[in-house]
């Protein structure tokens, strides 16, 4: 209130006008798909029309969500089982690996770590055929266990990387003094490293949940219809020729909801995982 | 000491299952795919438990690149190259631009950051489904101008059959040489300031020689095909590029924003005191300082664009030739047409392209770690 008037006028310079108007336009562009998905999902099918696609529904029509849910129910169940199992297994293994890679380095451990990292960057098409064959030979093709195995194995590079970077922040002196006190490999892990790992587990499991929930290529190549994850279910729902767009839009919102909720409520950890995934050291 | 060596053994044994899994599932499988790509596995008995396979050498590869009936794959490959380049330029350019805007600390910065980054959390299938609806012909984005009194757009975002920047596949060798020359000269100019001798001897000189040779002797080079075959940038891919940029610009924004925040305020104040404008500060100080971030963004986005499958599948379906991509045709060839050998060859081509920049990157990361 008592600020000098020069300060208030200088806030409305050409520069800040440009800044805010570009941010406003960009925000509109980024929100456009979300707006379109929400309004289309809330329209009755008869009201969906290319020329009025941008207009708000005349009255809210919620049944698209229940219709889409009944179509995608088994996919949701598969995805939940898949995501929970694969995330737990790959984070626990990644935590142990990260512990070794950061606190028990041996000759060649950096080299092995590099070989792990490379696995993160391969296009998965290159391992798809042998993976398909191996799962078939192990009698794991078509169901969830095979898909879980794939997610655990190919999740190891990133989970080991995140935990390795996380554990390198734990002072080595702490581990050394525990060793002098007679603690061994596993008791150092269970008594010192693991209790300090909660944020590491949060970051890594959020990353894994996001990746596994959103994955499509393995879902479509390695599972039979009964065990298709949500992404495959959604692709089938939206892929038909004469789609009424309210259903795929409602399905999209449902498929996006869990991960969006993570992002909105635990955004800080989500972003940390994102940055850790870019191999910034 | 005994105790210590037992602990070391325990550490190694803890790692062992993962080493075996990665060894088999990554390296073993890559080797297996290379082997499959050199066989004739496919056709009727492809799905038998003991399929009949014969070694055919590089026949699958030469067919992909020069075979009469494989022009579809070649177009997919060209699409992938244009797609990668445009995605890189778009996502890095837009992400950096937004990061610079947010670095000015506008009001509501947190909310804006949330808005720009949320697409990153979505599945490609979800965003592809929504963008397919947004880019519908006669609908979606195309009708937006009518709300401000302009005529609607008529662009066919995902089904246009127009192509631009066309070239003749016959001259493949010449084109490769041009690209090599261009890359050498760019790297040469990059290191010219720090190590001029090395730059001229290792990069600029060879670059100019190769470039001149391709220009003057191009017609003497062997031709890849016996007849003309043009490929170009399909305008139909623009819709997919737009959707992917929408999804990934927030990611590069997050990377750059973290980087900008890491630059000390003192440095910025000092630059401003010396009379640097905001533009000059970013151009000459901030962005050059974030070169490592730019490099990892390039690596990660290129790797993503090469394996890009889901969003194309969701937006144009698997059968749209206009927006084809090797990542998609690999799936189609292998699992729809049961032509495993050819699918494996496509996968290996993708892998080779990816390895060109992943291997140097991973190696340099390794060197940094062992040095530090």
């Amino acid at each position: 209130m008592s600020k000098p008037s020069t300060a208030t006028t200088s806030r409305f310079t050409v520069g800040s006008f440009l800044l805010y108007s570009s941010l406003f336009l960009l925000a509109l562009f980024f929100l456009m798909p979300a707006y379109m998905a929400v309004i289309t999902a809330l329209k009755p099918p008869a009201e969906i029309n290319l020329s009025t696609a941008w207009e708000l529904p005349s009255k809210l029509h919620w049944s698209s969500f229940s219709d889409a849910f009944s179509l995608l129910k088994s996919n949701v169940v598969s995805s939940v089982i898949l995501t929970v199992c694969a995330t737990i297994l790959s984070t626990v293994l990644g935590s142990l690996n990260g512990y070794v890679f950061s606190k028990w380095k041996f000759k060649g451990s950096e080299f092995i770590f590099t070989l792990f990292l490379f696995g993160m960057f391969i296009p998965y098409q290159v391992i798809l055929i042998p993976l398909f064959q191996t799962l078939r030979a192990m009698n794991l093709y078509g169901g969830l266990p095979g898909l879980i195995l794939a997610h655990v194995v190919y999740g190891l590079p990133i989970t080991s990387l995140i935990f390795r970077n996380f554990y390198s922040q734990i002072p080595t002196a702490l581990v050394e003094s525990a060793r002098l006190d007679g603690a061994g490999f596993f008791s150092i892990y269970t008594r010192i490293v693991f209790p300090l790992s909660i944020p590491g587990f949060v970051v890594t499991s959020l990353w894994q949940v996001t990746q596994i929930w959103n994955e499509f290529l393995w879902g479509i190549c390695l599972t039979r219809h009964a065990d298709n994850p949500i992404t495959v279910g959604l692709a089938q729902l939206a892929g038909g020729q004469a789609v009424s767009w309210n259903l795929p839009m409602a399905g999209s919102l449902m498929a996006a909801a869990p991960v969006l909720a993570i992002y909105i409520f635990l955004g800080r950890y989500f972003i940390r995982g994102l940055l850790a995934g870019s191999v910034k050291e | 000491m005994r105790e210590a060596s037992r602990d070391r053994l325990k550490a190694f044994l803890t790692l062992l299952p993962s080493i075996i899994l990665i060894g088999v599932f990554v390296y073993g499988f890559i080797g297996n795919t290379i082997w499959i790509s050199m066989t004739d596995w496919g056709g009727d008995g492809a799905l038998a438990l003991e399929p009949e396979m014969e070694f055919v050498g590089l026949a699958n590869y030469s067919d992909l690149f020069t075979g009469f009936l494989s022009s579809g794959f070649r177009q997919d490959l060209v699409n992938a190259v244009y797609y990668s380049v445009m995605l890189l330029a778009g996502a890095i350019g837009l992400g950096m631009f937004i990061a610079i805007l947010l670095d000015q600390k506008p009001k509501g910065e947190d909310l804006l950051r949330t808005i720009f980054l949320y697409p990153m959390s979505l599945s490609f299938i979800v965003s592809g489904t929504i963008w397919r609806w947004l880019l519908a012909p006669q609908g979606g984005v195309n009708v937006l101008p009518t709300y401000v009194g302009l005529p609607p757009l008529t662009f066919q975002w995902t089904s246009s059959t127009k192509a631009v920047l066309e070239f003749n596949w016959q001259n493949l060798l010449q084109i490769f040489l041009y690209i090599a020359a261009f890359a050498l000269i760019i790297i040469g100019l990059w290191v010219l300031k720090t190590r001029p001798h090395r730059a001229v001897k290792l990069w600029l000189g060879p670059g100019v020689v190769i470039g001149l040779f391709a220009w003057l002797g191009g017609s003497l080079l062997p031709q890849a095909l016996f007849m003309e075959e043009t490929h170009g940038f399909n305008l139909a891919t623009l819709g997919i590029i737009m959707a992917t940029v929408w999804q990934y610009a927030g990611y590069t924004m997050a990377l750059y924003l973290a980087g900008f925040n890491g630059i000390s305020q003192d440095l910025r104040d000092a630059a401003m005191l010396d009379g640097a404008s905001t533009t000059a500060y970013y151009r000459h100080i901030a962005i050059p300082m974030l070169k490592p971030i730019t490099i990892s963004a390039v690596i990660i986005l290129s790797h993503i664009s090469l394996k890009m499958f889901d969003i194309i599948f969701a937006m144009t379906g698997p059968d749209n030739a206009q927006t084809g991509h090797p990542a998609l045709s690999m799936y189609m060839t292998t699992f729809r047409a049961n032509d495993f050998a050819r699918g494996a060859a496509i996968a290996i081509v993708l892998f080779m392209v990816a390895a060109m920049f992943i291997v140097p990157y991973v190696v340099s990361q390794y060197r940094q770690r062992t040095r530090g």
Side-chain angles (χ1 to χ4, degrees), chain A residues 28-47:
Chain A
L28 279 188
F29 171 67
F30 275 79
L31 287 173
M32 180 171 81
Y35 169 81
M36 187 60 124
V38 172
I39 60 162
T40 310
L42 288 172
K43 279 178 193 173
E47 220 177 280

Side-chain angles (χ1 to χ4, degrees), chain B residues 87-137:
Chain B
L87 171 64
L88 276 176
I92 291 183
L94 187 61
M96 192 191 274
F97 178 64
I98 299 175
I100 291 174
L101 292 181
L102 289 184
D103 198 34
Q104 312 306 311
K105 313 281 178 244
K107 274 192 195 133
E109 190 198 338
D110 286 343
L111 176 67
L112 286 165
R113 213 172 32 208
T114 312
I115 291 174
F116 294 133
L117 195 58
Y118 87 94
M120 184 68 204
S121 72
L122 302 179
S123 152
F124 282 120
I125 291 292
V126 167
S127 48
T129 306
I130 300 175
W131 274 98
R132 180 149 74 105
W133 176 222
L134 273 170
L135 297 179

